[in-house]
Amino acid sequence: QVRLVESGGGLAQAGGSLRLSCAGPDTFATTFTEMGWYRQAPGKQRELVATITKDGRINYVDSVKDRFTISRENVKNVVHLQMNSLKPEDTAVYYCHARLLSYNWVEFWGQGTQVTVSS
């Protein structure tokens, strides 16, 4: 079983920054076709925040455009989410996600990391 591991969550003031990172196992040799981040606030549906493919195609949810930046290191299956100009509404548990086209879009998840933004 492949499990993604997130780090970098925590507390921030409104207008501040955090950087999330996520990695697959060091022994996993396959480059994930797509990696990204979802988030879920209490009482709300989990939503896709940002994704990046192994060839560099990026998508963001409208609410984070111009504030968040996703990037990845393909060889190590590491993905980062640089979050700037944080707002209280960014408060959520952030989940790393990855999937593989070559395995019929099999997908993997991290355990989640809490991001809390105060006013």
Side-chain angles (χ1 to χ4, degrees):
Q1 185 177 8
V2 175
R3 189 173 183 88
L4 309 175
V5 179
E6 303 106 334
S7 62
L11 302 175
Q13 297 291 118
S17 298
L18 289 171
R19 192 178 80 136
L20 306 183
S21 298
C22 169
D26 290 338
T27 56
F28 193 76
T30 302
T31 300
F32 292 120
T33 307
E34 181 185 88
M35 299 187 74
W37 295 89
Y38 289 71
R39 67 185 181 186
Q40 187 168 24
K44 296 184 178 180
Q45 290 285 105
R46 187 174 298 187
E47 68 171 348
L48 191 149
V49 178
T51 61
I52 181 168
T53 65
K54 66 179 181 180
D55 58 343
R57 288 174 289 175
I58 295 172
N59 290 108
Y60 296 103
V61 67
D62 286 346
S63 61
V64 309
K65 288 180 179 178
D66 301 320
R67 298 190 299 118
F68 292 8
T69 302
I70 190 168
S71 61
R72 67 181 289 173
E73 303 171 53
N74 287 345
V75 174
K76 295 184 177 182
N77 277 326
V78 172
V79 64
H80 306 284
L81 187 69
Q82 179 67 46
M83 304 185 293
N84 297 326
S85 301
L86 283 164
K87 303 175 180 179
E89 51 262 45
D90 295 319
T91 296
V93 177
Y94 284 69
Y95 296 91
C96 186
H97 175 261
R99 60 181 184 165
L100 286 165
L101 172 62
S102 58
Y103 287 80
N104 197 28
W105 292 116
V106 62
E107 62 185 343
F108 309 95
W109 291 93
Q111 80 286 351
T113 185
Q114 178 70 47
V115 170
T116 302
V117 183
S118 62
S119 300

